[in-house]
Amino acid sequence: MRRQNPFWGEDFHAGRRTRLLQRARIVAALRGFFAARDFVEIEPSALQVSPGNETHIAGFATQFSAPGGVSQQLYLHSSPEFDCKKLLAAGERRIFALAHVFRNGERTKLHHPEFTMLEWYRAGASYRTLIDDCAAILQTAAEAVGVKTFGFGGKSLDPFAAPEVVSVTEAFAHYAGIDLVSVLDDRDALAAEALRLGLRVAPDDHWSDLFSKILSDKIEPNLGEGRVAALIDYPASEAALARRKPCDPRFAERFELYGCGVELANAFGELIDPAEQRRRFAADMAERRRIYGEAYPLDEDFLQALAFMPPSSGAALGLDRLVMLATRAETIDQVIWAPVARA
C-alpha cells in the first residue's frame, strides 16, 4: 500500500516549505546570536555510553562492533548535556550546541523521536541569567521570520514582551489551590490534593508522580499566554541535575520556559558535586526500573568530569517547538525537514 503524504511528495513538501525556510532563517539567526556573545559552537557525539539518567526519558540502544569481535552497547543521546559539561570541565566557558537528540516512545503533535535541541552553557553565571537569554532568543527568532506574535493551540504571545517569572510554589497556589511547601515529601497529603482536583491517583503513585500530574494538568496549560513564562525554583526532588538553592535547599535552581502552554526550555544552575549526582542518578534509575522494568548505565566519565567543572548554568531549548510557535504550526512534523515515517 502506498504511504499517505510522504514528506518527499512534491505537493506535500510544497505545503511545508514556507515553514521549513523560516526554520532555516531562525537557525542562522541563532548561530549569529551566540557568536555575537562569544559562545563557541560545539559538536557533541550522538553515541554515548548512557542515553541519560532521567526516570521517564527512554533511549535508543545500539551495538558497536569493535575490531576483534568485541561488542559494546551504546545509546543515542537524549541531550548533548553530558558532552557539554565535559567540555566545561576541559576549560570552555561559553558553549552552545544545535544537536539532534533521540527519545524513544515519543510521537505526538509536540513530540518526535528525533528532534533538535539548542543547548547552551555559561560558566560562572546565575541560572536567572538564562531567563534573559531565553527572552532574547525568542526576539531573535521573531525578527528572523518577521513576525510580531507567536501562537499555538488558539493561544498567542508577544515574543518581545519581558517574561513572566513565577515560582513553582506560587503557581501551585494560584492555579491549583495547593500550599506546596506544606505537602513537600508528604505523598498522602499531595494525593488528597490531587483527588480534590479530580485527578486519578494510582496506589503506586509516588510524590513525584503526583507532582507531575498536577503540574501538567492544572498549571502548564495556563503558562505563557500573552508573554512567555519562566516557572522557577522546583522542589529539589524534581531537579536531578540542578544544585539546591543556598537560601532554601528544599528547592533547586531550575526553571522551565513556557509559551502558549507549551514547554520550550529547561534550565539549571548546574550540580557539580559528583557524589550527590551519583546518588540522584541511582535513585532515578531505581525508580525507572520500578516503573519500566529497566535502567540505564551511569556515565562514569561524566561523573568524574563534574569534579573539574566550574560553577555554571545551562539551558536546553526545543528548537522545533520554538519554530512551531514562531510559524504557528499545528504539529512538529510541519517544521522538521525529514520527519520519521509513521508505521
Side-chain angles (χ1 to χ4, degrees):
M1 180 181 294
R2 184 175 180 180
R3 191 180 302 278
Q4 296 296 311
N5 293 330
F7 76 81
W8 46 265
E10 185 174 358
D11 291 342
F12 189 66
H13 177 67
R16 301 192 315 128
R17 190 170 187 269
T18 296
R19 287 192 174 96
L20 295 173
L21 293 179
Q22 289 174 316
R23 175 193 177 105
R25 290 199 291 273
I26 289 172
V27 169
L30 290 175
R31 284 197 160 103
F33 170 89
F34 283 105
R37 289 159 177 78
D38 297 322
F39 281 75
V40 176
E41 183 173 4
I42 64 100
E43 298 179 8
S45 172
L47 284 176
Q48 299 285 332
V49 299
S50 173
N53 299 107
E54 296 189 47
T55 301
H56 300 292
I57 293 180
F60 287 91
T62 187
Q63 291 294 127
F64 169 56
S65 299
V70 177
S71 181
Q72 178 186 4
Q73 181 159 287
L74 295 174
Y75 299 86
L76 296 175
H77 66 175
S78 62
S79 162
E81 182 166 6
F82 287 4
D83 274 356
C84 286
K85 290 182 177 178
K86 290 173 185 178
L87 288 168
L88 289 171
E92 297 296 338
R93 289 299 177 262
R94 290 188 179 188
I95 58 176
F96 80 99
L98 280 161
H100 280 236
V101 298
F102 307 84
R103 297 186 180 184
N104 211 341
E106 298 189 359
R107 191 67 187 265
T108 71
K109 64 183 179 181
L110 288 169
H111 297 87
H112 191 266
E114 178 181 356
F115 63 99
T116 303
M117 186 84 82
L118 168 61
E119 201 153 309
W120 71 99
Y121 291 82
R122 290 178 175 269
S126 163
Y127 74 116
R128 297 290 291 261
T129 301
L130 302 180
I131 299 176
D132 297 332
D133 285 345
C134 287
I137 285 170
L138 263 66
Q139 294 172 21
T140 298
E143 290 168 352
V145 295
V147 299
K148 300 296 185 183
T149 61
F150 287 1
F152 180 78
K155 301 176 181 178
S156 64
L157 65 84
D158 177 357
F160 298 95
E164 176 189 14
V165 180
V166 57
S167 72
V168 172
T169 54
E170 290 169 341
F172 266 68
H174 182 70
Y175 296 113
I178 296 174
D179 178 0
L180 191 62
V181 173
S182 71
V183 297
L184 279 178
D185 301 321
D186 187 336
R187 184 268 178 198
D188 290 342
L190 191 58
E193 294 287 2
L195 289 170
R196 175 182 62 80
L197 293 168
L199 301 179
R200 178 181 176 274
V201 174
D204 61 348
D205 277 342
H206 287 195
W207 193 94
S208 292
D209 301 319
L210 298 166
F211 174 89
S212 295
K213 287 182 180 182
I214 296 168
L215 182 68
S216 62
D217 192 85
K218 300 300 180 181
I219 296 168
E220 289 180 338
N222 296 295
L223 299 176
E225 188 161 7
R227 56 177 173 155
V228 293
L231 187 65
I232 67 168
D233 299 348
Y234 279 63
S237 62
E238 309 310 305
L241 290 137
R243 60 179 172 252
R244 293 174 183 261
K245 290 176 65 67
C247 61
D248 190 346
R250 295 173 300 176
F251 296 90
E253 295 183 349
R254 175 190 178 188
F255 76 81
E256 289 199 334
L257 190 78
Y258 290 87
C260 300
V262 175
E263 179 196 341
L264 293 174
N266 191 17
F268 301 140
E270 302 294 347
L271 178 65
I272 56 174
D273 180 337
E276 174 64 13
Q277 187 65 84
R278 180 184 296 277
R279 185 194 67 76
R280 295 188 192 182
F281 278 169
D284 283 351
M285 289 302 90
E287 180 70 355
R288 177 168 182 80
R289 188 176 297 280
R290 178 186 73 85
I291 298 171
Y292 302 107
E294 65 171 356
Y296 297 128
L298 305 188
D299 183 340
E300 295 293 341
D301 191 45
F302 167 70
L303 291 169
Q304 183 179 357
L306 284 184
F308 300 91
M309 181 178 153
S312 305
S313 293
L317 183 145
L319 176 74
D320 313 280
R321 292 185 179 183
L322 175 64
V323 176
M324 286 181 68
L325 267 62
T327 65
R328 294 182 175 267
E330 296 177 358
T331 70
I332 197 170
D333 286 36
Q334 292 175 307
V335 299
I336 292 178
W337 280 95
V340 173
R342 293 181 181 272

